[in-house]
Each structure stands twice: as C-alpha cells, then as structure tokens.
Amino acid sequence: MRPARALIDLEALRHNYRIAREVTGAKALAVIKADAYGHGAVRCAQALEAEADGFAVACIEEALELRAAGIRAPVLLLEGIFEADELALIVEHDFWTVVHSLWQLEAIEQATLSKPITVWLKLDSGMHRVGLHPKDYPAAYQRLLASGKVAKIVLMSHFARADELHAQSSTEQVAVFEAARQGLAAEVSLRNSPAVLGWPKIHSDWVRPGIMLYGATPFEEANAVADRLQPVMTLESKVISVRELPAGEPVGYGAKFITDKPMRIGVVAMGYADGYPRQAPTGTPVLVAGKRSRILGRVSMDMLCIDLTDVPEADLGSTVELWGKNILASEVAQWADTIPYQIFCNLRRVPRLYSEG
C-alpha cells in the first residue's frame, strides 16, 4: 500500500478549540467548512460535539452531511441560502443561517415556515465581499423581527485584515459595526481565528475559530496564543528510492536543481496529486528519520526528492514528515508562497487516519 497518509490528532483539535473558549470567554462555533479544512468534517465534528457550542459550514450540502452522520449540535450556514427552497431544509434540520443580502431577507419574509429560525445577520463593515450595507442594517434587523419567522438574531461581520496585527483596518471595521448596530438588542459575532488570537479587546459574544482549530497560525509573526496551538494534521510518507549522485547531476523535472557536490537523494511517495504544493521550491523543509532536511527540485505529481546527504541513517523505508508537529504547515506554506488554509484544503487522495493523540 502506498505509504502517503495524513494522521489526524483529535485530542489536539479539542485542545485548540478549548484555547478559543479560554482566551475569549465566549461561545464558539467550530468552523469545519471545506471538509474541516481537509481534516474530515464528520470525524472532527464527532470529536468536538460533546463540548462545542456549534459548528459553521459554508453551505447546506456540508450541513446535511453532518446531520446524516448524526451530529445534532447547531450548524450555521456561513453563506446562507442560495435558493429560497433551502429554507424548508433549514427548518427541518434545525440549521442556523447567515443573511448577508436583501434577497435572502425577502425570501424569509415570503416563506411559509413551520417554525421560526435562527438568523445571523451579516454586515459589510469594510471587507466588501458579502454583507448588508450599513444603511440597510437596522431596517433589516427590524424586518426580520416583524416577519414573525425568526426566533433569534445574532449580529455579525467579518474582518478583512485581522491577520495583520498592526493594521488599523480591524479597528475601523469595529467602529462601522458598532455604529450600524446602535439600538439593536442582540448578541454579536466578530472574531474569527486571527481576531481570537490577536485582538483580545474586540467584544464578541460568539467567536468563529477556523484555522486555529487545526493548529496553524494565521500570522506571519510570532503570537503568544498561537504558539500554544497544537498541529492536528501530520502529512507523512516514506522514502521509496535512494540515489547516489556525483556533482553536476540534475534532479527532477526541468533540471531545476543541479547537485553541487556528491549527494545522496531520497525519493518520497508524495506529490501535488496528494495536495502537496507544486510550487514548493528547493529548500522547503521536511523531517526524515527524525532530522530536518529539504526538498530538492520540482515537486511532481506523485513523488518529490529530498536531500539525504547529511542524514546517513535515512534509507529506503524511512518516514518523512512533510508537515505536522515538527515541520509546521505555516512554514511549508511560506516557502511555497501560499497559506496553511490552502495546503490543508488541497489535501486529496491521501487516506486520513484518526487518533486521540
């Protein structure tokens, strides 16, 4: 059997969720959209259900998968409905839904619902992606109440630059939000992972930890709370071939790496078809036989090459950690000029093996 695999530490997942609760004192929706950022939404939800205040997914398809697996906790649809007929499923399965546009509000007003629903009313406070304009926000809140079809409203917005700890954007967005919600009696939800970790003064009755659940930092700089997170996924494989090459020999497609001395090269069963970033350059760190080494040359579809020159104990069958508890996903992402969100979400083909730590 091909040795590439992703090891998922569910106790680390719970540890990271508890940090979100501890540092904010707020209720927390565990964000498990995009198949829990590649970690497996059902298994992650099952691991967290006993203590999570609820879950957040992108769309109703992801929410229905959780209900089919027996998850009964609240589930919020972060993108809300795409068609009015989804409201019947929201009622049937007790989902919560974001309302971020006037047409979604109108769909609720016009729908025949057997019981009222919970709505998270989203304000565009400056990200300019989705959300109601500040001038429409108070009236939308009043219309939802007047409809008689809403049991509870949570007021929410989303930060565009909370991962930039010295930017003023988040403070400016909070000011827009506070002005728009004046006189509206409801709980609020503002803080995503970077705001949970790096913006402790922002009030939020509900927080929405996402990337931090999986043990990766959203920041490019050190952060004391982020340093307490535990990586949940370890992506690993094994050395399947060893080459002894003299100086001046090319390695991999396009001859992007040429040996500058006699070198020992290991071939690893891992490639971009597994989700490892193709753009990861020579020098991207790996751990082989318990020692740090590096990738050499281009990542190919099913294989990549690593430097074994200074790791004489590594040989055929040696375990290679591509990212995990020793080689952080955020470090790999920086080398590959991407973000840990993307490399987690790109995981495919590799079997996931779950453990309690």
Side-chain angles (χ1 to χ4, degrees):
M1 182 178 293
R2 189 166 180 264
R5 59 185 187 169
L7 310 179
I8 310 297
D9 181 350
L10 297 174
E11 182 53 35
L13 180 75
R14 287 188 285 265
H15 167 85
N16 297 335
Y17 177 83
R18 290 167 190 153
I19 287 178
R21 292 285 304 273
E22 171 201 328
V23 300
T24 63
K27 292 170 281 190
L29 291 185
V31 180
I32 56 171
K33 62 181 179 176
D35 203 23
Y37 295 37
H39 292 66
V42 168
R43 289 299 301 272
C44 288
Q46 290 170 338
L48 288 171
E49 189 174 25
E51 55 190 292
D53 297 303
F55 299 100
V57 297
C59 56
I60 203 161
E61 293 88 345
E62 294 179 339
L64 289 170
E65 179 186 26
L66 298 180
R67 287 289 186 260
I71 301 299
R72 307 317 309 166
V75 181
L76 175 67
L77 313 182
L78 289 169
E79 290 184 278
I81 61 171
F82 295 90
E83 304 288 343
D85 59 9
E86 293 176 18
L87 288 167
L89 289 172
I90 286 172
V91 171
E92 178 183 353
H93 295 282
D94 291 319
F95 296 143
W96 299 350
T97 186
V98 166
V99 167
H100 61 72
S101 62
L102 291 176
W103 82 262
Q104 292 173 329
L105 169 58
E106 292 162 1
I108 291 172
E109 289 176 320
Q110 296 167 13
T112 300
L113 305 180
S114 60
K115 61 181 180 181
I117 61 176
T118 294
V119 165
W120 288 46
L121 187 62
K122 188 166 191 176
L123 175 75
D124 177 7
S125 59
M127 187 167 184
H128 303 323
R129 191 173 60 178
V130 295
L132 297 173
H133 191 282
K135 69 178 177 58
D136 297 324
Y137 200 63
Y141 173 87
Q142 298 299 339
R143 286 172 61 181
L144 285 170
L145 289 183
S147 73
K149 297 170 183 178
V150 174
K152 180 179 179 177
I153 301 173
V154 176
L155 309 177
M156 72 178 298
S157 193
H158 191 66
F159 292 120
R161 299 174 62 186
D163 55 340
E164 301 173 43
L165 293 174
H166 305 292
Q168 292 302 308
S169 172
S170 297
T171 302
E172 293 165 359
Q173 284 191 251
V174 170
V176 172
F177 179 80
E178 291 298 332
R181 79 176 188 102
Q182 284 298 308
L184 308 184
E187 293 179 321
V188 304
S189 177
L190 289 177
R191 294 168 71 182
N192 54 2
S193 284
V196 166
L197 297 168
W199 296 85
K201 294 182 180 179
I202 294 176
H203 171 70
S204 195
D205 299 297
W206 288 85
V207 295
R208 308 185 305 271
I211 192 66
M212 68 172 291
L213 285 182
Y214 309 104
T217 178
F219 307 120
E220 293 185 358
E221 58 191 274
N223 174 269
V225 182
D227 288 346
R228 295 172 53 197
L229 300 174
Q230 296 178 3
V232 174
M233 179 192 294
T234 297
L235 183 66
E236 68 174 33
S237 191
K238 292 184 182 298
V239 175
I240 61 171
S241 178
V242 178
R243 292 280 188 275
E244 302 275 356
L245 298 178
E249 289 296 314
V251 176
Y253 283 121
K256 294 299 181 182
F257 178 80
I258 308 292
T259 58
D260 57 0
K261 61 183 180 181
M263 295 185 70
R264 191 163 174 260
I265 309 298
V267 180
V268 182
M270 176 65 61
Y272 61 76
D274 302 299
Y276 193 85
R278 181 181 181 273
Q279 66 270 32
T282 291
T284 303
V286 298
L287 193 83
V288 55
K291 290 186 177 179
R292 283 178 71 96
S293 187
R294 58 177 180 149
I295 286 176
L296 301 175
R298 278 185 182 166
V299 175
S300 55
M301 184 179 291
D302 308 303
M303 291 176 280
L304 54 80
C305 295
I306 63 173
D307 189 355
L308 300 182
T309 308
D310 297 325
V311 194
E313 58 269 53
D315 209 336
L316 196 67
S318 290
T319 296
V320 179
E321 180 183 306
L322 287 308
W323 64 66
K325 298 187 184 301
N326 300 287
I327 304 296
L328 297 182
S330 54
E331 184 179 5
V332 175
Q334 284 189 328
W335 275 90
D337 193 26
T338 185
I339 54 177
Y341 304 74
Q342 185 182 41
I343 63 174
F344 288 152
C345 289
N346 282 355
L347 188 73
R348 56 191 178 273
R349 187 169 73 175
V350 176
R352 292 183 295 235
L353 304 179
Y354 295 88
S355 73
E356 293 293 336

